[in-house]
Amino acid sequence: MKQIDKLLSFRESIKVVDATLRDGGLVNDFYFSDEFVKNLYKANIDAGVDYMEMGYRASKKVFDESKFGKWKFCADEHIREIIGENDTDLKIAIMADIGRHDKNDFDEKVNSPVDLVRVAAYIHQLPEAIDMIEDAHKKGYETSCNIMAISNTQENDLKAGLEMLGQTPVDVIYIVDSFGSIYPEEMARVVDLYQEFAVKYGKKLGIHAHNNQQLAFANTIEACGDGVDWLDATYLGMGRGAGNCSMELLLGFLKNPKYNIYPVFKFIEKHMVKLQEEGVVWGYDLQYLITGLLNQHPRTAIQFTKDKRKDYSEYYKDMLI
């Protein structure tokens, strides 16, 4: 049963994480102007957001630096160009994507403007993810772990993975609806499963939702009502494919006087609408609904979008084969 006090009352434990640059960067290959990033940073401060994810720290041995904007790699010096010494309450996060990162690219925390290292991994990559978590923790960073594609993961495998993570120094374990295929009633059961291990090992829980079935916000507040404290969102829902839980929806919902939705509207008005007018495409559409319904990765829907196709019924039929 949902605890109404967890939905209607002030919870100091809640942390809002802005993932616009990181998940949104998957839409435009991380080509954000410095003005965009500086204004986003200021908007997050003014809105009371707790963490700002600057992007990935991807390995230049894996990705061609010339094909991406600098937030694909999130060098400390580029972060400092935006935030200086960051004498604010806003903390800075970056993501290490297992198999696409190099832990040697992470300096000691004392030398870095980054506060939180978010590690993303599929269930079979957890041993390497744990190595990254332990390395980042030793270097002084806060850490979190996103287990991706859990809707395609066997429950016993997920339990084993949560048991492994529980024994690490990771601070936050994330529930990730990678394909936007989980419904709120299912999310409640997923949270119960994760809570079992969070309570056992003293971990916080987070949620990162995708909007393939227009349920990212619903799933986020479902999880929040069940006690999940770390909530990911992006401005105007910008993110891979169908996008994510929208920051403006989340801050409008949270009953916390520290959050202020007005700076979010101002930033959207000045910058996000402009991105859309320039032809950057993200958000709910039928092709993403189809991959969400079928519990499949949206890569084919992303290509469908790039090809400017509109034959949705034919695409659905092909996906059933």
Side-chain angles (χ1 to χ4, degrees):
M1 177 69 70
K2 193 73 64 258
Q3 297 182 42
I4 194 68
D5 64 300
K6 290 189 180 294
L7 285 171
L8 296 181
S9 63
F10 166 75
R11 273 164 60 192
E12 188 175 359
S13 57
I14 284 180
K15 304 295 180 187
V16 172
V17 180
D18 168 37
T20 305
L21 287 182
R22 201 271 307 164
D23 215 319
L26 294 168
V27 177
N28 67 347
D29 292 329
F30 302 89
Y31 285 111
F32 296 102
S33 69
D34 283 358
E35 179 192 15
F36 181 99
V37 180
K38 286 178 181 178
N39 286 353
L40 179 59
Y41 170 69
K42 185 178 186 304
N44 280 325
I45 293 168
D46 293 343
V49 169
D50 299 283
Y51 287 79
M52 177 176 174
E53 189 176 38
M54 302 294 288
Y56 287 99
R57 182 155 293 171
S59 172
K60 294 175 183 178
K61 299 174 184 176
V62 177
F63 294 96
D64 183 346
E65 191 176 2
S66 68
K67 295 181 179 179
F68 298 93
K70 58 189 175 184
W71 306 110
K72 179 76 169 178
F73 306 97
C74 274
D76 283 346
E77 59 266 30
H78 290 148
I79 296 174
R80 283 199 174 93
E81 288 171 1
I82 301 297
I83 70 171
E85 294 304 313
N86 190 31
D87 186 22
T88 75
D89 292 332
L90 178 65
K91 291 189 174 185
I92 302 302
I94 57 175
M95 179 166 279
D97 196 357
I98 295 304
R100 302 173 180 179
H101 79 298
D102 186 338
K103 68 181 182 181
N104 295 319
D105 290 336
F106 291 78
D107 199 353
E108 298 288 332
K109 166 65 187 93
V110 68
N111 301 321
S112 174
V114 174
D115 299 289
L116 168 67
V117 174
R118 283 156 56 98
V119 178
Y122 292 101
I123 193 75
H124 68 276
Q125 297 173 317
L126 276 184
E128 189 177 353
I130 289 169
D131 181 61
M132 180 65 217
I133 289 164
E134 291 174 344
D135 181 75
H137 175 76
K138 287 177 183 176
K139 289 174 177 173
Y141 297 97
E142 300 173 51
T143 58
S144 67
C145 186
N146 290 18
I147 306 177
M148 298 185 291
I150 60 169
S151 57
N152 275 348
T153 303
Q154 294 292 325
E155 184 172 319
N156 286 339
D157 291 341
L158 186 56
K159 286 181 177 180
L162 291 170
E163 180 71 28
M164 291 165 63
L165 280 176
Q167 297 176 56
T168 75
V170 73
D171 298 294
V172 188
I173 301 173
Y174 261 83
I175 299 163
V176 184
D177 183 14
S178 299
F179 304 156
S181 62
I182 297 176
Y183 294 97
E185 63 271 21
E186 295 173 307
M187 181 58 68
R189 294 194 291 273
V190 171
V191 172
D192 284 346
L193 174 61
Y194 274 67
Q195 285 282 22
E196 176 185 339
F197 295 90
V199 171
K200 180 179 178 180
Y201 289 106
K203 306 298 183 184
K204 293 288 188 180
L205 292 181
I207 179 167
H208 180 86
H210 280 263
N211 205 38
N212 298 61
Q213 298 187 84
Q214 300 201 64
L215 292 172
F217 176 54
N219 279 325
T220 298
I221 63 175
E222 174 71 33
C224 178
D226 287 330
V228 173
D229 284 327
W230 288 55
L231 313 175
D232 281 17
T234 65
Y235 284 63
L236 210 60
M238 185 183 187
R240 183 202 68 192
N244 304 101
C245 175
S246 295
M247 182 68 74
E248 59 275 17
L249 286 172
L250 182 60
L251 294 193
F253 166 79
L254 291 174
K255 310 303 185 288
N256 187 331
K258 73 167 284 190
Y259 298 124
N260 180 5
I261 198 171
Y262 180 73
V264 176
F265 288 140
K266 289 291 290 183
F267 183 84
I268 290 172
E269 175 186 316
K270 182 177 180 180
H271 290 285
M272 303 304 295
V273 173
K274 182 180 177 182
L275 280 182
Q276 291 181 322
E277 290 173 347
E278 291 171 347
V280 181
V281 178
W282 72 88
Y284 169 81
D285 207 338
L286 288 179
Q287 62 270 31
Y288 297 118
L289 164 63
I290 290 167
T291 59
L293 284 172
L294 298 177
N295 192 20
Q296 294 187 21
H297 193 287
R299 61 176 62 88
T300 58
I302 292 170
Q303 189 59 52
F304 182 102
T305 305
K306 289 180 178 178
D307 294 340
K308 298 183 179 180
R309 291 173 58 184
K310 297 298 179 184
D311 55 332
Y312 302 108
S313 59
E314 190 67 23
Y315 174 69
Y316 175 67
K317 186 173 65 175
D318 291 343
M319 293 294 288
L320 291 176
I321 297 175

